Amino acid sequence: MSVALYDVVIEGAGPAGCAVALELLRRRRRVLLYDRGLPGSGKVCGGFLGPELRTYVRSQGLSSAWSRLGLEPIRSVAISGPGTRELASNLPGDGGYACDRDRFDRWMLDRTLEAGADLSAGTLRTDSRRTGGLWRLQLSGPNRTIEVHTPVLVAASGRRQPARLAGRQEYFAVRTAYEGVRGLDGRVALHFVRRGHVGLNPTGSGRATMCLYVESECLRRYGADLDGLMRELRAVNPALEAALGPAARTEGWRSCRAVPDGVLRFGQDDVHYAGDAVTMVDPIIGGGIPVALEGGALLGRLLAAGGTAHQGSITRSYAREWKRRFLSRVLVAAALGRAERSDAVSGAIFGLLRWNPGVLGGLVRLTRAAP
Ligand SMILES: Cc1cc2nc3c(=O)[nH]c(=O)nc-3n(C[C@H](O)[C@H](O)[C@H](O)COP(=O)(O)OP(=O)(O)OC[C@H]3O[C@@H](n4cnc5c(N)ncnc54)[C@H](O)[C@@H]3O)c2cc1C
């Protein structure tokens, strides 16, 4: 079997893996990405992209391909709770964008392949090992196994499932699309339901991506009848009912288990982590993709500058800079996620918003990157 040598091998060709790769390729490193699935094949995601995306695309010199993303501009966010009326606030700065998540992942991968990355379909076999400062990796694909050698291995393979969820309620997310949704012109909506939310993101011409994030208990009651679950949620939230009243579902349901874990991990056993593999940004703020892109670019720059000799010092610099740039946003997202899961706290927040709707703008600003 022939053996290929790479400067860096990256597990996972999602936004984070591509962002690490793009930085390395700009500095003429040889990069292989491998992925167990076809990127762009139906991730469960709200599809909201913050204004940070534009900054990232400019910094990578990718602006000429911007129009191919097919983004819808978003200027404001609306929220509602069970039995409350809808409140809205403008997004800070340039606002944000609604994207088709499959198209976005495919766009990132295409840019990375154009920049010179190699891509392999497959997963790592357990007999892969590190000896003499070199990873000897066996990658098992659908038709063949290849051997590649590299001094640097990056895991950008998305969020981890924790070993156990001691006493914690599990959360699930489902995604579908509707047409004929009302009140979403340039606006993303978060309709809170009991211990969860329904996110609606416009994708143009009255169409919207819907992402529902609820306790597994809620799904268990309805089994496969997710339209039945939606009827129950619409009955408790009048603003959600008003938005979806005339709408028709246009796609099947896709589901995933979403695990907020609160653990940070930057490097371990000579593997560097990127994107959700570092930590998951609670989906409530729709902010995971910018953190995956900017954090991935940061790791790529440090790996390119640091060479192969000092993996530990690269990890320390990465952890320090990552925390400086992203930790406050991640903690705000975690706090809002916790609030959503507590009837008492979410009730108090909606009480505060009824008393002073201006508080919403402050909360929204806390969830976005500083300009
Ligand atoms: C319900 C929900 C809604 C969300 N909504 C938003 C939103 O609106 N806006 C936003 O910005 N963020 C959102 N996020 C977060 C966002 O989806 C993630 O932050 C983002 O996908 C992280 O990118 P990543 O590259 O780290 O991981 P991923 O996108 O998960 O990519 C990981 C890649 O690794 C591959 N892989 C996994 N395991 C292996 C393996 N063993 N071997 C080889 N390949 C492997 C996978 O196939 C995948 O292609 C949401 C998350 C959830 C759960």
Side-chain angles (χ1 to χ4, degrees):
M1 189 194 300
S2 65
V3 176
L5 183 65
Y6 287 92
D7 294 314
V8 179
V9 172
I10 302 170
E11 178 177 271
C18 289
V20 178
L22 278 169
E23 278 293 335
L24 289 160
L25 293 160
R26 266 150 52 107
R27 290 162 173 82
R28 300 185 182 287
R29 301 300 190 275
R30 287 199 67 208
V31 178
L32 172 74
L33 290 152
Y34 67 92
D35 201 294
R36 69 173 177 198
L38 247 187
S41 56
K43 284 177 191 163
V44 175
C45 176
F48 175 75
L49 292 167
E52 307 89 345
L53 177 73
R54 189 89 215 201
T55 315
Y56 171 80
V57 166
R58 281 198 192 113
S59 72
Q60 295 294 318
L62 300 174
S63 297
S64 60
W66 176 261
S67 62
R68 275 182 262 164
L69 275 167
L71 302 174
E72 287 287 314
I74 300 287
R75 289 177 300 278
S76 62
V77 55
I79 72 164
S80 72
T84 73
R85 69 186 170 87
E86 195 171 88
L87 296 170
S89 167
N90 284 338
L91 282 163
D94 295 339
Y97 308 93
C99 75
D100 172 328
R101 178 62 199 266
D102 298 345
R103 185 167 172 174
F104 179 77
D105 279 17
R106 192 69 236 178
W107 185 92
M108 274 302 286
L109 182 60
D110 287 347
R111 303 290 76 75
T112 312
L113 297 179
E114 273 168 21
D118 287 340
L119 174 69
S120 178
T123 51
L124 205 58
R125 268 183 23 190
T126 47
D127 50 357
S128 301
R129 64 197 186 284
R130 185 170 165 92
T131 48
L134 204 63
W135 284 101
R136 292 155 207 275
L137 308 172
Q138 309 283 331
L139 299 179
S140 253
N143 306 318
R144 63 193 179 129
T145 295
I146 57 169
E147 182 165 343
V148 294
H149 290 180
T150 182
V152 180
L153 181 59
V154 172
S157 38
R159 60 188 181 277
R160 294 157 279 164
Q161 302 290 324
R164 63 199 168 91
L165 284 161
R168 288 201 332 222
Q169 179 59 256
E170 268 189 283
Y171 271 71
F172 279 77
V174 291
R175 165 187 145 181
T176 187
Y178 287 91
E179 64 183 4
V181 181
R182 282 193 295 223
L184 279 187
D185 197 17
R187 169 174 288 188
V188 59
L190 276 186
H191 297 291
F192 289 86
V193 291
R194 198 167 166 264
R195 299 191 198 149
H197 66 259
V198 176
L200 289 171
N201 215 4
T203 48
S205 317
R207 291 172 174 268
T209 299
M210 194 215 68
C211 194
L212 165 65
Y213 190 61
V214 280
E215 284 179 353
S216 52
E217 178 54 36
C218 201
L219 289 187
R220 216 166 282 141
R221 270 186 286 128
Y222 281 88
D225 179 18
L226 293 172
D227 292 312
L229 170 60
M230 284 306 294
R231 277 193 293 279
E232 178 189 305
L233 301 179
R234 287 163 62 160
V236 297
N237 184 318
L240 176 62
E241 174 58 29
L244 287 185
R249 188 160 60 78
T250 54
E251 274 182 16
W253 297 94
R254 298 171 187 174
S255 66
C256 79
R257 190 187 314 210
V259 183
D261 55 13
V263 178
L264 289 172
R265 181 178 65 158
F266 296 96
Q268 195 177 307
D269 301 331
D270 289 321
V271 178
H272 301 275
Y273 293 97
D276 277 9
V278 172
T279 193
M280 184 175 151
V281 183
D282 195 289
I284 195 169
I285 70 161
I289 294 172
V291 173
L293 294 175
E294 294 168 41
L298 169 66
L299 177 60
R301 274 195 299 282
L302 290 168
L303 290 174
T308 58
H310 307 292
Q311 305 273 315
S313 72
I314 291 173
T315 303
R316 282 191 291 281
S317 307
Y318 177 43
R320 203 170 39 245
E321 185 59 15
W322 192 101
K323 286 179 190 167
R324 192 184 69 75
R325 291 178 54 182
F326 309 119
L327 191 57
S328 59
R329 234 185 300 169
V330 170
L331 292 176
V332 167
L336 290 174
R338 291 243 163 98
E340 168 182 53
R341 281 162 226 143
S342 154
D343 294 339
V345 181
S346 61
I349 291 177
F350 272 103
L352 181 65
L353 290 172
R354 262 196 306 274
W355 172 68
N356 182 356
V359 171
L360 179 59
L363 279 178
V364 170
R365 274 192 296 280
L366 280 177
T367 66
R368 309 298 357 145

